[in-house]
Amino acid sequence: GRWEVEELKENTVPGDRGLVLKSVAKHHAISAMLTKAFIFDNKPLIVQYEVNFQEGIDCGGAYIKLLSSSDDLNLEYFFDKTPYTIMFGPDKCGEDYKLHFIFRHKNPKTGEYDEKHAKRPDVDLKKFYLDKKTHLYTLVLKPDDTFEMLIDQSVVSKGSLLEDMVPPVNPPQEIEDPSDKKPDDWDERPKIPDPNAVKPDDWDEDEPSKIEDPDAVKPEGWLDDEPQYVPDPNAKKPKDWDEEMDGEWEAPQIPNPKCETAPGCGHWVRPMKNNPNYKGKWKAPMIDNPNYQGIWSPRKIPNPHYFEDLHPFEMTTVSAVGLELWSMTSDIYFDNFIICSEKEVADRWAADGWGLKKLVASANEPGMFSQLVTAAEDHPWLWVLYILTLALPVGLGVLFCWPAKKTDEDIDFKKPDISKPITKGELKQEREELEDDEIELEEEKENEDTAEDERREMEETKRELIKDTKKMGREAPPSEGEDEGGEDIDDEEENEVANRSQEEGDKSNISGSEDEVS
């Protein structure tokens, strides 16, 4: 595999370059000696570096190895079998996203090394592999035998070297005796067939589970003489068909078109139904096994390989760091490796490197609108969500803020009285009040009739007085001075009589109104 030292493809920091894995489907190995070997004593170990999957990642790793100190360590021959103390970092293949933390533990009895794997983080790691951003990976091992794994300075997993590694650091005190064997008469059956049960006399095991339905009737229009499939009349023998090699050519079969409009074709067979007399093979009912002894397991014996390492933090000294990787994706970017014991040093190192890259990436990120459009290009259904999100507040604003139409009249709706139970006495009192109201209405009607009669009589009297006055005027001889004013005198008399009759009529109406009011 080939390595290069290059700038980032995106969000480049001027003058900043990193180590880039360039080849696809090849083994890569690169390493360097530490200026000072790290000894696991009373100081924590902090391992930190940056990774950017610039092209995403299909299958491959970006983990780091801390190589164990030894007299025969030669980095020119660094490969996958070179002994390491710790392996840490991201790894992915298919849809399996991992963050490795593995350390090699030395068995104090045999001197052999076993790999101990930390349990998988509970967080979703997918975005760190696909967003094409630079991420900071940190491993912290403490002398109290605890560990933390961080991504971008946020803890994604933590635990104990004694309790959260697989397999456990310390083996069990007891193991199953490999020489122990289950006795031949050991009965593990919790239930057994009842030995006293007898098959009933009427139990017929020969009855089939299905029988023909005797009540079934062949549908009308069934075409008995028509086959279900017929040769395709449009099929033609291929030109390269060799009857000597391929045999006699036959047209392929197609569904009989005549059967499409009919209930069926060919020989009609009665449908099958469940046999009501079917009981199947008789079996004795199950009962509790009186000889049940439980599930057998070998006896326990002291583990001859047992040991107890109370401080697995005291690992093999580290004197070199290396990347030994295989990947199906190129352009994996590495930068700013640091191994130290002080958190302040690691944080300052992160701020000067990863922190600066993060600021540049944030400044170059597209605006919110561009991000929404990009997301919708990958997921077109988001356009519907966007439209609904914009239309809903606009619609509500129009609904509640548009001026309402004013009406010319205000209609008051009177809330109906709530019905209450009526007692017998109240009902009687209401009936009497209704009768009194009817009497008053009748009296008012009679008064109205009386007033109307009186008015008519007054009008008749008025007309008679006018006639009499005119008659008297015609019979009397006119005197001097009356020729010109005679008509005026008659008119004055007529008006006077009319006024008197009107006054009498008004008085009668007033008296009638007073009667109505009373």
Side-chain angles (χ1 to χ4, degrees), residues 109-276:
K109 280 195 169 184
T110 63
E112 296 179 353
Y113 285 88
D114 297 317
E115 290 185 350
K116 310 297 181 181
H117 296 248
K119 296 178 180 178
R120 297 177 68 111
D122 295 331
V123 301
D124 185 9
L125 303 175
K126 185 174 182 178
K127 65 177 182 179
F128 301 113
Y129 295 79
L130 303 179
D131 60 6
K132 300 181 181 180
K133 294 181 179 180
T134 302
H135 294 289
L136 185 70
Y137 293 86
T138 308
L139 171 66
V140 180
L141 292 182
K142 299 178 182 179
D144 63 355
D145 301 298
T146 61
F147 69 90
E148 289 182 345
M149 289 188 283
L150 302 89
I151 301 179
D152 297 343
Q153 297 183 325
S154 296
V155 176
V156 296
S157 179
K158 62 181 179 179
S160 168
L161 298 177
L162 289 168
E163 300 174 0
D164 298 303
M165 306 302 292
V166 180
V169 170
N170 295 314
Q173 291 184 329
E174 291 185 333
I175 61 172
E176 294 179 350
D177 185 357
S179 62
D180 192 14
K181 295 182 180 180
K182 182 175 69 173
D184 295 336
D185 59 351
W186 189 276
D187 197 340
E188 293 182 334
R189 299 173 301 165
K191 297 280 187 179
I192 60 171
D194 185 358
N196 299 321
V198 179
K199 182 175 72 172
D201 296 336
D202 59 349
W203 191 285
D204 188 353
E205 295 182 350
D206 297 330
E207 284 285 348
S209 61
K210 298 282 186 179
I211 59 174
E212 289 186 352
D213 185 359
D215 300 326
V217 179
K218 181 171 67 174
E220 294 184 3
W222 188 279
L223 304 178
D224 295 271
D225 299 330
E226 291 290 338
Q228 291 184 354
Y229 293 91
V230 295
D232 185 359
N234 299 321
K236 296 182 180 180
K237 183 172 68 172
K239 294 181 180 180
D240 58 349
W241 187 274
D242 187 348
E243 292 191 356
E244 293 183 359
M245 297 291 296
D246 303 324
E248 183 181 356
W249 180 82
E250 294 181 357
Q253 299 285 308
I254 62 171
N256 190 342
K258 295 181 180 179
C259 299
E260 294 180 357
T261 58
C265 292
H267 177 65
W268 181 77
V269 179
R270 293 181 183 274
M272 305 296 286
K273 71 171 188 176
N274 292 330
N275 185 358

Side-chain angles (χ1 to χ4, degrees), residues 64 107 151 230 381 431 499:
I64 185 176
N107 188 316
I151 301 179
V230 295
W381 57 268
R431 189 181 297 112
N499 289 337

Side-chain angles (χ1 to χ4, degrees), residues 21 23-26 28 56-61 92-93 326-330 332:
L21 180 149
S23 305
V24 175
K26 292 183 180 296
H28 300 73
I57 183 70
D58 293 325
C59 186
K92 184 252 183 184
C93 199
W326 181 91
S327 176
M328 290 298 295
T329 307
S330 63
I332 302 176

